[in-house]
């Protein structure tokens, strides 16, 4: 049975103490909500990771992740953080391919394929983001774009390695805009992604892969989105910065 995940993406928000405070609140509020195969993941800035991972110890349904990691194992890359360093903090996940990384830092599918390999080699589980821009949707290119992001970003992996990947469908036009994809739009893409996984790997791999929806998900729309057959949870930006909203999204599973 595939994992159901609600993952928060704090982006470049919260100083060290604010982050610890929010995470302590989140743990207290979600510890009895996320059960069984449900997982809550908080992806924080690097500065918080070690402390958050220490706070999450003992709560099997709560994990910590980074928002990026470098493709090289180590070396002269001033200001960067490696996957091995992320892993050493106790973090288990890493977001790769977020549209803000693609847009502002020029991250290509080719680069993201390398980052995915390095993250996996260091025992991190990538939350690999894919999604089309508004322009691409309006030009009816969204299926092609998503397919090429999969093919060029993660389909070089064998089935065993791919089993460590979580996918997140995040239409760029819905991120931070307050405009959510309708549950029909999201389900259509999630079903398409699962069909592509079945064609590339097997029906078993397709059935076992967690596919999250991201893009202005909030306590009001989460339950309808999560009720869709192929939507296994959410990647949450803005609403993950408020413990009540984030917890209400976690509760939307039930
Ligand atoms: C995100 O940044 O991944 C995201 C989905 O943001 P928001 O929930 O704010 O749209």
């Amino acid at each position: 049975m595939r994992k159901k995940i609600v993952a928060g993406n704090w982006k470049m928000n919260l100083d060290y103490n604010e982050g610890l405070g929010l995470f302590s609140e989140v743990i207290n509020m979600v510890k009895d909500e996320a059960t069984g195969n449900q997982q809550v993941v908080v992806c924080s800035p690097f500065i918080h990771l070690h402390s958050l991972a220490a706070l999450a110890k003992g709560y099997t349904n709560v994990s910590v992740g980074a928002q990026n990691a470098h493709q090289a194992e180590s070396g002269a890359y001033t200001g960067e953080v490696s996957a091995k360093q992320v892993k050493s903090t106790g973090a288990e996940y890493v977001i790769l391919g977020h549209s803000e990384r693609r847009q502002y830092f020029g991250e290509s599918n080719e680069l993201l394929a390398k980052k995915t390999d390095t993250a996996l080699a260091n025992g991190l589980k990538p939350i690999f983001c894919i999604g089309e821009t508004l322009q691409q949707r309006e030009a009816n290119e969204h299926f092609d774009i998503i397919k090429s992001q999969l093919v060029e970003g993660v389909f070089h992996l064998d089935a065993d390695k791919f089993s460590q990947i979580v996918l997140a469908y995040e239409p760029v036009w819905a991120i931070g805009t307050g405009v959510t994809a309708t549950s029909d739009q999201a389900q259509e893409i999630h079903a398409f992604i699962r069909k592509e996984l079945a064609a590339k790997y097997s029906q078993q791999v397709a059935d076992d892969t967690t596919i999250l929806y991201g893009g202005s998900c909030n306590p009001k729309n989460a339950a309808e989105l999560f009720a869709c057959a192929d939507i296994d949870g959410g990647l949450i930006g803005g609403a993950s910065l408020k413990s009540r909203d984030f917890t209400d999204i976690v509760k939307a599973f039930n």
Side-chain angles (χ1 to χ4, degrees):
M1 197 187 201
R2 57 184 180 253
K3 251 192 174 30
K4 304 277 182 184
I5 298 177
V6 170
N9 173 14
W10 286 358
K11 312 196 186 193
M12 197 173 71
N13 293 299
L14 306 174
D15 70 20
Y16 180 75
N17 289 319
E18 289 167 343
L20 262 59
L22 175 60
F23 192 65
S24 303
E25 280 175 28
V26 166
I27 287 189
N28 277 327
M29 292 165 86
V30 304
K31 63 180 192 298
D32 301 321
E33 299 296 336
T35 52
N37 72 333
Q38 298 173 352
Q39 194 73 27
V40 173
V41 182
V42 169
C43 297
S44 73
F46 294 123
I47 62 156
H48 300 105
L49 287 176
H50 184 254
S51 301
L52 301 196
L55 287 171
K57 260 207 181 109
Y59 299 101
T60 48
N61 295 80
V62 181
S63 310
V64 172
Q67 299 167 20
N68 181 32
H70 199 268
Q71 64 276 19
E73 281 295 338
S74 63
Y77 300 101
T78 302
E80 291 293 320
V81 175
S82 72
K84 185 176 180 189
Q85 290 168 327
V86 169
K87 180 71 181 176
S88 74
T89 66
E92 290 173 55
Y93 289 83
V94 60
I95 297 175
L96 293 177
H98 192 280
S99 70
E100 288 153 15
R101 300 290 317 172
R102 293 177 187 263
Q103 184 182 351
Y104 303 135
F105 301 94
E107 296 196 354
S108 63
N109 291 332
E110 190 188 357
L111 174 74
L112 291 166
K114 290 187 188 139
K115 288 192 171 204
T116 300
D117 290 344
T118 311
L120 288 171
N122 285 282
L124 290 172
K125 298 185 187 99
I127 300 174
F128 193 89
C129 303
I130 54 181
E132 80 286 357
T133 63
L134 185 58
Q135 204 184 16
Q136 289 161 341
R137 180 165 274 263
E138 284 173 350
N140 207 26
E141 292 168 359
H142 42 304
F143 293 105
D144 290 345
I145 291 293
I146 285 155
K147 182 160 182 182
S148 63
Q149 289 170 335
L150 286 170
V151 169
E152 294 167 27
V154 287
F155 275 6
H156 62 289
L157 300 170
D158 63 26
D160 194 39
K161 289 208 173 105
F162 187 81
S163 69
Q164 298 303 305
I165 302 273
V166 173
L167 292 173
Y169 168 58
E170 298 209 301
V172 180
W173 45 272
I175 297 177
T177 58
V179 180
T180 317
T182 64
S183 51
D184 285 349
Q185 284 173 320
Q187 167 57 26
E188 181 184 36
I189 300 288
H190 282 236
F192 169 75
I193 294 168
R194 216 175 287 288
K195 189 166 70 63
E196 292 299 320
L197 301 186
K200 166 67 188 174
Y201 294 105
S202 65
Q203 191 58 49
Q204 189 65 52
V205 169
D207 290 342
D208 288 348
T209 302
T210 298
I211 311 177
L212 309 181
Y213 167 78
S216 297
C217 188
N218 61 43
K220 288 205 177 87
N221 57 33
E224 184 180 336
L225 286 160
F226 297 175
C228 296
D230 290 297
I231 300 181
D232 306 313
L235 180 53
I236 317 297
S240 72
L241 295 170
K242 294 188 189 130
S243 54
R244 170 54 57 203
D245 284 0
F246 190 61
T247 306
D248 284 348
I249 293 171
V250 173
K251 284 186 190 167
F253 275 139
N254 302 318

